[in-house]
Every structure is written in structure tokens, then in C-alpha cells.
Amino acid sequence: MNVYGSMDRQALDAAYNNSGAVADSDQYLDDWRRRSEALRSRMPERLDLIYGDAPRTKLDFFATNGTGAATLLFFHGGYWQRNAKEGFSFVAEGPLAHGFHVAVAGYTLAPEATMDSIVREARTAMRWLHQNLATLGGHPTRLYVSGWSAGGHLTAMLMDEAAVAGGLAVSGLFDLEPIRLCYLNDKLSLDAEEARRNSPLLNLPARTAKLIVAYGADELPELKRQSREFAAAWSGRGLPGEIIEVAGCHHYAVLEQLAQPDGLLAKALAAVAAD
């Protein structure tokens, strides 16, 4: 029996199983952890800054040289139920090289948190950071948001915030209905209404800063469809943005294009901040 489009449950599960689709995904995660540990050892001054009341509501702040710089707030992926900020510090390397401060935020994972509460925590992180940017050495009007996979979803959900100067959603999820119908919902426990109100595709802002929607050309078809349909709806509403398909990249490799100083997405982010 089909549960979403022409897909039965087994096909839909496979359509969103990124780790199953990328044979060496564990090697990527291991490498990211090693590089993150190295960066955290090199820049330990502002780790675990508390922005909320829950154990995971902390962020790490990596400062570039000079004050008044732009700041990037990054949210990690893991389908809202895996991973932690400590394994994604490595992402800061690319933006730091382009003169950004970088904050990498944690958030409570499902099943301990609902999607509603995860999005609320992301908003709280952004607002706390905005309020404290001057103290941290950043410019309050130059706050950008980004994230990968589930973090791409959180990025899109924050684009209605006036304090956000621009965004970069990498391999994000923008319509949660297929998420509600596949294996990922075992921990998320989304119902139809919660999925609807937390789907960026169905809740486009009236006005917003520029959003880059990026994905890898070698990703799963459903992931590419999600980004393409959201970007089309975004531009169709007349909102500022662009879509970038990164050639030769699967779901994990595409994040390297932000983490590497010479990466396509690191350069695209820098260009947005320079506008």
C-alpha cells in the first residue's frame, strides 16, 4: 500500500535513509569528530555558552580576528534525533577563513523533545546570540543562520526572524509530511498538524532576508526534490534567494563545501554577507 506518492512504507523509508545511501557515512562522521576536537582544543575560550534551560541548549562560539564581524549560527543535522554540536565544530573552519565568527548550537533531540520544542529552542538560540553579539565581538545586524539536513530545516524556520540577515540551508527538509509517514517518525511522533506548522514549504514568511538553498547533485532523489520544491516556492513568493546544486556531492560531502575555506558554499555565504 502506498503511503506517500507512489511509495510504500519500505520505499519511503529508503528514500530518506541518508546513512544507508552513503556507504562511508560513518567515516565522514568519525573524521568530522576528529577535526571538531582539534578545533575545540585550539579555540576553547567560549565553549558551552548557555542559551536555554535544557542540558543541550548550549552553543560554542569561535571568534575570528577583529570585532564587529559577521556571525554565522550553525545547526547540526541528524534528523532531529541524533548527533551533537561537539561533532560539528569543524564546519566553522570555512566561515572563519572568510571573516565570520561562528556559533554552533546544540538542541534537545527527539524523543525527549517534540518538533515544536526543537524549533523553539532554535529560535531561542538565535535570539540569545543576537542579544549577546556585541559582547562577543560580533555585529548585531550581521547575523546569518545555516544548518545541514535537520539543521537546514531549522535554518528555514528561522528566516522569518527580523534579526536574521541571511541564511544557508544545506540539504534541508522543508516538507515534514513524508517524514511523518516514514521510519523517522518512530522517535519524532509528529502528527499531521505539527508536521504542517513546522514545514517551511507551507509557512513561507511575508518578508525575509536572502536564503541560499543548497544540496548535492548525488543526494537521494527525495532530498533533492525537497530543496528544489522549496526553492521554487520561495522564489515564487518573490522572496530573495538562490538555489545551488553542488556537483559531485552526496549528502555528507556537500557539507564539506561549507567547512572548507575554498568550498563553493563557504564562498557563497561570504558573497551574501558582502552584499
Side-chain angles (χ1 to χ4, degrees):
M1 183 177 67
N2 293 342
V3 296
Y4 186 76
S6 61
M7 289 180 282
D8 61 16
R9 172 63 187 262
Q10 184 178 9
L12 185 59
D13 284 354
Y16 282 91
N17 189 343
N18 289 301
S19 57
V22 179
D24 57 349
S25 60
D26 286 344
Q27 295 177 32
Y28 272 89
L29 293 171
D30 289 343
D31 179 55
W32 293 352
R33 280 190 286 268
R34 285 193 295 270
R35 290 156 60 190
S36 294
E37 289 171 4
L39 179 62
R40 294 165 69 80
S41 296
R42 196 165 72 246
M43 304 180 71
E45 296 83 8
R46 291 171 172 170
L47 303 179
D48 292 323
L49 303 181
I50 297 170
Y51 74 79
D53 298 328
R56 283 177 173 258
T57 53
K58 300 174 183 178
L59 60 83
D60 300 327
F61 190 86
F62 304 103
T64 191
N65 294 326
T67 58
T71 301
L72 179 70
L73 173 60
F74 181 85
F75 295 97
H76 69 80
Y79 277 138
W80 312 273
Q81 56 195 269
R82 294 189 301 274
N83 299 327
K85 66 179 176 62
E86 289 80 5
F88 286 81
S89 305
F90 80 99
V91 173
E93 294 278 16
L96 282 168
H98 289 275
F100 285 82
H101 301 305
V102 181
V104 181
Y107 51 91
T108 308
L109 303 178
E112 284 74 24
T114 65
M115 187 65 70
D116 285 337
S117 63
I118 291 170
V119 172
R120 278 196 300 270
E121 287 183 354
R123 290 191 188 279
T124 300
M126 187 281 301
R127 292 169 182 173
W128 183 93
L129 184 59
H130 180 250
Q131 291 168 3
N132 289 276
L133 270 182
T135 302
L136 292 167
H139 198 292
T141 66
R142 303 185 69 202
L143 175 58
Y144 298 82
V145 293
S146 182
W148 168 73
S149 199
H153 162 262
L154 296 175
T155 297
M157 290 296 291
L158 295 188
M159 291 305 297
D160 61 353
E161 295 276 352
V164 172
L168 169 62
V170 185
S171 301
L173 293 310
F174 307 105
D175 179 4
L176 300 190
E177 181 63 6
I179 305 302
R180 183 180 74 86
L181 298 172
C182 77
Y183 76 103
L184 295 167
N185 208 38
D186 294 348
K187 289 186 177 179
L188 293 169
S189 299
L190 289 163
D191 60 25
E193 178 54 29
E194 188 178 26
R196 186 205 63 77
R197 65 177 171 262
N198 289 293
S199 291
L201 179 66
L202 306 178
N203 297 276
L204 296 171
R207 59 176 78 95
T208 180
K210 183 176 181 178
L211 174 64
I212 299 172
V213 177
Y215 63 94
D218 296 340
E219 298 214 44
L220 287 166
E222 270 293 287
L223 272 291
K224 294 193 284 187
R225 181 191 66 80
Q226 286 256 1
S227 286
R228 289 168 178 166
E229 290 191 0
F230 177 62
W234 187 270
S235 62
R237 187 65 64 89
L239 300 173
E242 66 176 299
I243 185 167
I244 299 176
E245 181 181 83
V246 185
C249 286
H250 55 57
H251 188 66
Y252 295 83
V254 69
L255 187 54
E256 293 288 355
Q257 295 294 315
L258 176 59
Q260 300 289 345
D262 62 349
L264 179 62
L265 299 184
K267 292 177 180 178
L269 176 67
V272 171
D275 286 347

